[in-house]
């Protein structure tokens, strides 16, 4: 049997489009009996038991259009394409024997959704089709699709068939939810058959096709570390210290003193073994500066004038909390609190030996990835979302801005991705004079799988 994602629930751009349990409950009043494949669906969504569109305040209900009360909803039939990995690789044949594989490329995911629409009459059915079309095209440049990888059903004992004690439908739903990002409808919705009458109601099959700009199906992010304050004493899960004279772009503390800038590794081909003198080392390219931004690290005075007292936190992360096999990306949230935050610097390190946290366990020269942000306004919240590779700052007035991000030595910042379960350490440092007592940071991991 072909593996299919659970088709009974689908949300797009924050609006529930498909809910088999809701549709079945509403249609029951018209004598349309639909088998519910997931009785625990409402509980998994933290909804009370469904009865009818008016009582449940269904998402399509429109007080200006009486026919909306006669539309019962959509029963999920199937979702094609979710179980197909979209990874592709080109292949080049050699002039001689054999061939050479090209680079791996993840194509944009595409799904085809088939539903059964239920209504009291054809007028309500027509309203439902118009509502669905409007919702599918309301996502603008792209919205998020949410589905369940499988029906959230209670676990039962294999011998007795009795549900397991302590089963939580809401937690089961969280574990099963999968996200598809920057999705748009590229075809439909459109009827796939004639209107059929059953008892005192009508039904019709509809279909539509969607494609997403972000590759893969994403699990819900899972919290792996939180620092409730960027100042204060250390604890087993968070190391905090103060570094006077900190220079993120020059010398670094190594536990015994200050060390020069990370040396550039010498490639074996930079020296000629047949000559006594070594070839000159390549000249490092100086990144361009942003002359209009005084917080650009490349504009800070040299030498030594750009040092400051840094408040640093080290947080131990265990990716295995989420997955040891799937690709993981971080989702970082940070609140500035009552003060404007300056010189935010975040670095990632491998910690394969699972070392205990202390100030000298990290070597900035071995950082896996690094991002710095010169300034964040007070009362704001920063989100660095590795799933959609987007950085945004939510300001107190409701505005959303894009922060200026830098990588190592002022180069463009990247987006870290981890493909194994090796323990990690994340270093968060800021200008100590700009840290509010209510500043905080949370680090989540999101896992991606190619098919569900």
């Amino acid at each position: 049997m072909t593996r299919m994602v659970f088709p009974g629930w689908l949300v797009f751009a924050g609006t529930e489009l498909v809910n088999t349990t809701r549709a079945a409950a509403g249609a029951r009043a018209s004598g349309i009996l639909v088998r519910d494949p997931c009785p625990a669906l409402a509980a998994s969504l933290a909804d009370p038991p469904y009865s009818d569109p008016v009582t449940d305040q269904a998402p399509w209900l429109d007080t200006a259009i009486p026919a909306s009360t006669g539309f019962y909803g959509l029963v999920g039939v199937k979702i094609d394409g979710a179980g197909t990995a979209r990874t592709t690789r080109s292949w080049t044949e050699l002039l001689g024997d054999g061939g050479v594989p090209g680079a791996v490329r993840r194509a944009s995911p595409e799904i085809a959704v088939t539903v059964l629409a239920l209504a009291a009459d054809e007028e309500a059915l027509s309203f439902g089709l118009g509502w669905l079309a409007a919702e599918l095209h309301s996502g603008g440049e792209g919205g998020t699709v949410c589905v369940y990888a499988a029906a959230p059903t209670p676990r039962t004992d294999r011998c007795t068939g009795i549900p397991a004690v302590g089963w939580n439908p809401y937690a089961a739903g969280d574990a099963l939810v999968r996200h598809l990002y920057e999705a748009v409808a590229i075809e439909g919705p459109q009827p796939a058959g004639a209107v059929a009458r059953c008892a005192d109601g009508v039904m019709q099959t509809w279909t539509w096709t969607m494609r997403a700009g972000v590759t893969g199906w994403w699990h819900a992010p899972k919290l792996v570390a939180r620092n409730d304050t960027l100042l204060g004493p250390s604890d087993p899960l968070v190391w905090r210290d103060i570094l006077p004279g900190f220079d993120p772009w020059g010398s670094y503390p190594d536990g015994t003193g200050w060390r020069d800038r990370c040396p550039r590794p010498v490639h074996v081909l930079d020296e000629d073994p047949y000559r006594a003198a070594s070839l000159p080392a390549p000249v490092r390219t100086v990144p361009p500066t942003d002359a209009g931004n005084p917080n650009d690290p490349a504009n800070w005075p040299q030498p030594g004038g750009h040092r400051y007292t840094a408040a640093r936190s080290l947080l131990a992360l265990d990716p295995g909390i989420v997955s040891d096999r799937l690709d993981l990306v971080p989702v970082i949230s940070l609140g500035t609190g009552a003060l404007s935050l300056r010189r935010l610097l975040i670095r990632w390190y491998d910690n394969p030996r699972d070392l205990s946290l202390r100030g000298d366990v990290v070597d900035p020269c071995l950082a896996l990835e690094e991002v710095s942000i010169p300034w964040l306004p007070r009362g704001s919240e920063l989100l660095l979302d590795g799933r959609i590779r987007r950085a945004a700052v939510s300001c107190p007035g409701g505005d959303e801005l894009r922060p200026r991000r830098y990588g190592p030595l002022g180069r463009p910042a990247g987006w870290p991705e981890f493909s194994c379960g090796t323990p990690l350490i994340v270093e968060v440092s800021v200008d100590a004079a700009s840290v509010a007592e209510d500043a905080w940071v949370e680090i989540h991991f999101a896992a991606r799988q190619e098919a569900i």
Side-chain angles (χ1 to χ4, degrees), residues 135-411:
E135 293 297 337
L136 286 175
H137 296 95
S138 65
E141 297 180 355
T144 302
V145 172
C146 300
V147 300
Y148 277 159
T153 55
R155 296 181 178 178
T156 58
D157 185 273
R158 294 183 178 180
C159 298
T160 65
I162 299 175
V165 177
W167 183 77
N168 186 327
Y170 189 75
D174 282 349
L176 290 168
V177 71
R178 303 290 183 266
H179 301 89
L180 202 61
Y181 292 106
E182 296 182 2
V184 296
I186 61 174
E187 184 178 335
Q190 58 189 4
V195 177
R197 179 165 292 279
C198 178
D200 291 331
V202 295
M203 62 182 66
Q204 189 178 32
T205 300
W206 298 343
T207 64
W208 71 88
T209 304
M210 309 186 79
R211 180 170 289 180
V214 176
T215 62
W217 291 88
W218 294 88
H219 295 231
K222 193 167 185 179
L223 181 67
V224 294
R226 177 179 174 90
N227 192 6
D228 291 313
T229 176
L230 300 180
L231 294 173
S234 300
D235 60 49
L237 299 179
V238 180
W239 170 278
R240 303 186 186 95
D241 55 12
I242 301 296
L243 301 176
F246 183 69
D247 178 4
W249 303 99
S251 53
Y252 301 90
D254 62 359
T256 59
W258 291 87
R259 183 152 50 89
D260 290 337
R261 183 191 303 275
C262 301
R264 175 172 176 158
V266 178
H267 194 277
V268 292
L269 296 181
D270 288 342
E271 293 191 10
D272 186 348
Y274 300 102
R275 295 175 55 185
S278 300
L279 296 177
V283 178
R284 183 187 298 272
T285 302
V286 179
T289 63
D290 181 356
N293 183 0
N295 292 305
D296 189 330
N299 290 327
W300 294 348
Q302 300 285 342
H306 54 286
R307 292 184 178 179
Y308 57 94
T309 299
R312 180 177 65 168
S313 298
L314 301 178
L315 298 90
L317 311 179
D318 182 7
I321 294 175
V322 182
S323 172
D324 285 333
R325 299 294 180 266
L326 301 177
D327 293 338
L328 303 176
V329 300
V331 179
I332 302 177
S333 301
L334 182 145
T336 61
L339 297 176
S340 297
L341 200 65
R342 298 191 303 271
R343 294 170 174 167
L344 170 65
L345 178 64
I346 301 174
R347 290 190 176 110
W348 300 86
Y349 303 90
D350 267 329
N351 187 23
R353 292 183 294 166
D354 202 15
L355 298 175
S356 299
L357 290 177
R358 60 182 188 273
D360 59 349
V361 298
V362 296
D363 181 355
C365 299
L366 301 179
L368 301 175
E369 190 59 75
E370 169 182 317
V371 60
S372 62
I373 297 177
W375 178 81
L376 293 169
R378 65 180 181 180
S380 64
E381 183 172 331
L382 168 70
L383 177 63
L384 298 174
D385 194 338
R387 296 167 297 179
I388 57 177
R389 299 193 170 190
R390 180 171 178 266
V393 178
S394 300
C395 298
D399 294 333
E400 185 174 277
L401 306 175
R402 298 294 177 89
R404 193 179 298 275
R405 300 167 55 246
Y406 298 93
L409 298 175
R411 295 192 295 266

